[in-house]
Amino acid sequence: MEEVGFYDKWLEVLHKFVMPLQQKVFNGHIREPPYAGANFVVRYTPDVQRELRPHCDSSTYTINIALNRPRIDYEGGGCYFTRYNCSVTDSRLGWMLMHPGRLTHEHQGLPTTNGTRYIMVSFVDPDV
C-alpha cells in the first residue's frame, strides 16, 4: 500500500469499515488508530505461483480481499484452513475474509487452475 501511495487511505478503510467488525469478532483487541504491519497484493497463476503452502500469518488477524471474479477471471483458488478442514472458495469481488493469524489458523492458498487470481492481504495488529 505504501508503494502505491494508498497506506493512509487503507488505514481509513480499516478504521471506518473493518474495525467495527473486528471489535465484534475479536473482542478486546483494539488500537486507535488501527495498525496494519504488512499490506500487499498476491497474484496466483497456474504457471508462476499457483498456490501457497500451509502457514500461519504473523498478525493478530488477517484480511484477504478478492480483487477479481471467480469462474470469470480465474478458476480454482481459495483458502483452506488445515486445522478445521474448511475451505473458503469463490469469494466475490470486493468481499473480505478475516481470520486470526499466528498459531490458531494455519491455512494455505488453494491451487489456481486457470486465469489469474488477485487478492489484497493485510496483516492487522490492533494491539501493537
Side-chain angles (χ1 to χ4, degrees), residues 54-82:
H55 66 282
C56 291
D57 296 336
S58 59
S59 62
T60 302
Y61 65 93
T62 299
I63 294 170
N64 297 327
I65 299 175
L67 298 180
N68 57 347
R69 303 162 300 172
R71 294 184 310 273
I72 296 171
D73 300 318
Y74 66 91
E75 295 175 11
C79 186
Y80 175 73
F81 295 94
T82 55

Side-chain angles (χ1 to χ4, degrees), residues 83-115:
R83 181 178 182 183
Y84 305 100
N85 190 27
C86 173
S87 296
V88 177
T89 59
D90 296 336
S91 293
R92 291 170 58 180
L93 173 65
W95 281 34
M96 175 183 79
L97 168 65
M98 182 169 62
H99 63 84
R102 298 194 174 91
L103 299 176
T104 63
H105 280 65
E106 181 182 74
H107 59 286
Q108 66 188 67
L110 296 171
T112 298
T113 56
N114 190 36

Side-chain angles (χ1 to χ4, degrees), residues 18-73:
V18 177
M19 200 167 91
L21 176 62
Q22 170 255 306
Q23 289 175 1
K24 290 181 181 187
V25 176
F26 304 119
N27 190 18
H29 294 281
I30 187 167
R31 178 174 182 203
E32 282 283 351
Y35 172 77
N39 309 283
F40 50 92
V41 172
V42 179
R43 182 182 78 177
Y44 292 102
T45 66
D47 301 342
V48 180
Q49 180 179 343
R50 72 185 298 241
E51 60 194 308
L52 191 59
R53 64 178 173 75
H55 66 282
C56 291
D57 296 336
S58 59
S59 62
T60 302
Y61 65 93
T62 299
I63 294 170
N64 297 327
I65 299 175
L67 298 180
N68 57 347
R69 303 162 300 172
R71 294 184 310 273
I72 296 171
D73 300 318

